[in-house]
Structure formats: structure tokens, C-alpha cells
Amino acid sequence: MDPATPRWHRVTRAIAAARPEGPGAPLNAPPVPASAFRAGGAVDYARKASPTATALEEALAALDGGQAVAFGSGMGAISATVRALTPSAGRVVAPWDAYLGTRALLADLEADERLAWTRVEQADTAATLAALEGADVLWIETPTNPLMAVADVPALVAGAQERGVRVVVDATFPTPLRLRPLEQGADVVVHSVTKLIAGHSDLLAGAAIAADEEVAEALRVRRRLDGAVLEPQSAWLALRGLRTLGVRLDRAEASAMALAERLADHPAVQRVRYPGLASHPGHDRHARQAEGPGTMVSFELADGAAADRVLASLGLIAHATSLGGVESTIERRGAQPGEDHLPAGLLRLSVGCEALEDLWADLAAALDRADAGAREGS
């Protein structure tokens, strides 16, 4: 049975897709560390494609639909997609609170007069649709990183299609097991494969999955010209990580929901941003379009000093950037260059696969110490 068939659940597809077949074949697609191949085959040079990266692309296509193009990093996928879809001096509509790398790329291209970037509050559907008049590309990120704003994907896609605007959705946080924008009419979905899909904090990879061949080929051209190829060892590790995405995501998501609820009740926490909570302004919208609230929880303390005290007090949860690994990580994003628009006391928590009670014990103790320190200093 073809692993891409709708008769198989996507968790099964993540496990079964793109495995070698036939008597004597290995169960897993092996890494092929070669730069050049003998003439006459499907691949002649690894900057164009490689067998291992192609296997990863086939597996991702089985989850998202469309045609997948793998890149050497999430930013490689984002950059190629922006430039492949946006004509010279074109205009991109994208959230002002998107991922830092996306904002930096758009700002850089805008400074070079390669494109214009219209910044929107993407959770405001009417305002975003109004900004699409005369635009070329709508860039959706949902939930946004790290403020967790939720875009109305079906409404925005429908409005963009009426106006002839291409739609790209960064679905790194939900992954294809929770949100599949191509099914809702988007032209391209992008993932930082580095994060939840690979899931072990040991590689860089990205992917763009296009709804049609013309766009997919444009993405391949950009990858080839920019040298943004995914090398075989990382492709193999990413494919191995993908096999366990279903169980990792379920485990981490359940813990994230429990932690968000407990954080909301802690006296040191002023606000929790998690779409699984009924108090989140995008809760109902997210529930309609996605199949789970995800593994990312942002929460706010009184100020940056309180947040730093929490970071200094944690023992199990690692103070580190990035997200989506089996280990839980946390950081104060507002302390990063280019993130000064964020609340100073905001902490972004990527929930991993550790035991829930161990995670909560670590968090609660750190929050209690930070709260006590604030009272002593007042």
C-alpha cells in the first residue's frame, strides 16, 4: 500500500513513507555520502538532489501533500520561498511579530529595494485582508513565534485567492500532524525541520512543500543557485526523527497543556500565551483549523529581571535557544537582538518529552524563588 494513501493515518505515514522496498532492501533509507553520481541516472550531482534528501522529501510530501523540497536549514527554505514567489519590487504581507529570521530576511530585502513588506497584525483578519490589495504574497505564521497569535488560515487563504495573491504558511510549530495548509488552499507550506520534525537538536534542515510542480521547480532552482542543499547525514537524521514525530508530539503536547494550566494559576505569572487555553484569544480559531494546541508555551513575568531569575534557577529545563527537541528548553526572547518589541518578562518554553511532574517541579521551584526574590527586593 502506498504510504501516501488517505487510508493511512498521518502518524503511520510518518513511520512508513519513503522506506526502501523489495527483497533484501534495508528497512530505512540509508545516508548516501556522495557528491557525484555516474551518468545516466536520476541524479548526477548532489547540489541538485541526493537519494537521502529525496527520501525525506517523499516522506514530508506524504504528510503535507504537494511536492516537498528539502533545504539545508529552515532559513534556506524561507529565503528560497520568499524570493521564488515575489517578483522584483513586489510586495509581501507578513506579520510584524513573525519569527526573527523571517523578519530579518524581509527587512533586508526591503532595504535593498527587492520587495516591500507590509506589516500586519495577522490575528486581525479584516486588516490583513485589506492589506492584500495589490500584494503578491501573503506570509502566514501560526501560531506566531513567540507571541502565539493565531491566524485564521481558511479565511486568509480564501481572501488571498480572490485577490490573486500567493499564500505561504510557516507551520513549524504545529507540524503537518496538526495543521496542513495545502489542504486549505495555500500555495506553499514551510517547516524548520530542525525543530519538531527532526526533534533531537542535532541538525539543521528546512523544507518547503508546494501545491504544484511549477512552484516546486522554482524552489529547486533557488536551492541549486543558492547552494542551500541538505547534506545526506542531516537528511538521514531528519528522516529518522520524523519516524517518531507522532509519539513525541503527543507526549510533549499533553505536558504543554498541563503546564500552561498550572502556569496560569501561579502568582508569579502574569499571562500565559498558549492556544490550548480557553483564555487565549485565538483558542476557538486554532481549534477549528488545527488538530492540537502544540508544544510551545509563552508566559510572562513581571519584568526581565524576574524572567532572568527563573532562568538562573532552573535545573532540568535547559536555558537554550531553538525548540522542538525531546528536551525542554526555555529562553527570554526579548533579550535577543532584534526582539526588543517583545514583553521584557516573556519566556518561551519548548516542552519536551520528560515526565510532566519533573518539568513542573523544576518550573514551580524556579518561579517560587523568583517570586520570593521580587518580594525581598520590593
Side-chain angles (χ1 to χ4, degrees):
M1 184 182 292
D2 182 352
T5 175
R7 287 174 288 180
W8 280 7
H9 191 284
R10 279 181 172 76
V11 169
T12 303
R13 297 185 210 178
I15 294 170
R19 290 190 184 274
E21 297 181 0
L27 282 179
N28 297 300
V32 181
S35 59
F37 301 82
R38 294 186 183 275
V43 178
D44 62 356
Y45 191 53
R47 187 160 56 85
K48 297 178 183 177
S50 75
T52 318
T54 297
L56 175 63
E57 290 171 341
E58 291 175 0
L60 291 173
L63 298 180
D64 263 313
Q67 301 183 55
V69 182
F71 291 84
S73 68
M75 277 307 303
I78 290 169
S79 177
T81 303
V82 168
R83 295 195 292 156
L85 294 186
T86 312
S88 181
R91 186 163 66 87
V92 176
V93 175
W96 65 270
D97 58 336
Y99 164 56
L100 174 61
T102 303
R103 289 187 285 111
L105 172 70
L106 293 174
D108 184 66
L109 293 174
E110 187 173 49
D112 286 344
E113 299 183 349
R114 167 66 175 79
L115 56 75
W117 170 21
T118 300
R119 297 153 176 81
V120 293
E121 181 72 56
Q122 204 162 244
D124 186 337
T125 303
T128 302
L129 291 176
L132 292 181
E133 298 298 337
D136 298 284
V137 175
L138 169 62
W139 190 277
I140 298 173
E141 181 180 293
T142 188
T144 55
N145 178 10
L147 292 179
M148 306 300 288
V150 175
D152 188 334
V153 176
L156 292 176
V157 169
Q161 289 176 334
E162 291 174 2
R163 296 163 174 81
V165 177
R166 297 273 202 179
V167 180
V168 182
V169 180
D170 184 334
T172 296
F173 277 12
T175 83
L177 296 189
R178 296 294 184 263
L179 180 68
R180 291 174 296 280
L182 297 188
E183 293 180 357
Q184 301 182 37
D187 296 281
V188 180
V189 58
V190 298
H191 300 288
S192 175
V193 174
T194 305
K195 311 301 195 301
L196 275 157
I197 288 175
H200 291 78
S201 304
D202 56 5
L203 64 92
L204 292 177
I209 300 91
D212 64 62
E213 171 59 28
E214 181 181 356
V215 174
E217 183 57 27
L219 292 168
R220 295 186 195 105
V221 169
R222 286 258 53 97
R223 178 180 64 185
R224 184 170 67 250
L225 295 178
D226 294 341
V229 64
L230 176 60
E231 52 88 21
Q233 184 72 11
S234 291
W236 175 69
L237 287 171
L239 187 56
R240 187 172 71 167
L242 177 65
R243 304 308 190 192
T244 61
L245 175 59
V247 292
R248 288 186 288 104
L249 182 57
D250 285 350
R251 171 65 174 263
E253 187 176 67
S255 293
M257 185 71 225
L259 291 174
E261 291 172 340
R262 297 180 190 187
L263 286 166
D265 289 334
H266 197 283
V269 177
Q270 296 189 343
R271 179 177 181 180
V272 179
R273 299 171 181 262
Y274 183 65
L277 295 177
S279 59
H280 190 288
H283 170 76
D284 292 343
R285 175 182 290 176
H286 186 84
R288 286 194 301 270
Q289 67 191 17
E291 296 173 17
T295 65
M296 300 301 301
V297 181
S298 290
F299 60 98
E300 296 173 33
L301 305 182
D303 50 36
D308 288 338
R309 285 195 296 272
V310 168
L311 295 177
S313 297
L314 291 166
L316 173 62
I317 301 171
H319 180 191
T321 195
S322 197
L323 55 99
V326 292
E327 65 289 310
S328 296
T329 59
I330 192 169
E331 73 173 324
R332 184 162 75 88
R333 289 299 302 169
Q336 299 295 321
E339 299 278 51
D340 52 0
H341 63 290
L342 297 174
L346 184 139
L347 291 170
R348 186 189 69 184
L349 172 64
S350 171
V351 181
C353 295
E354 303 92 340
L356 168 62
E357 295 307 326
D358 291 335
L359 291 172
W360 177 242
D362 196 35
L363 265 177
L367 287 167
D368 290 344
R369 285 192 289 270
D371 197 30
R375 289 196 300 271
E376 289 173 5
S378 61

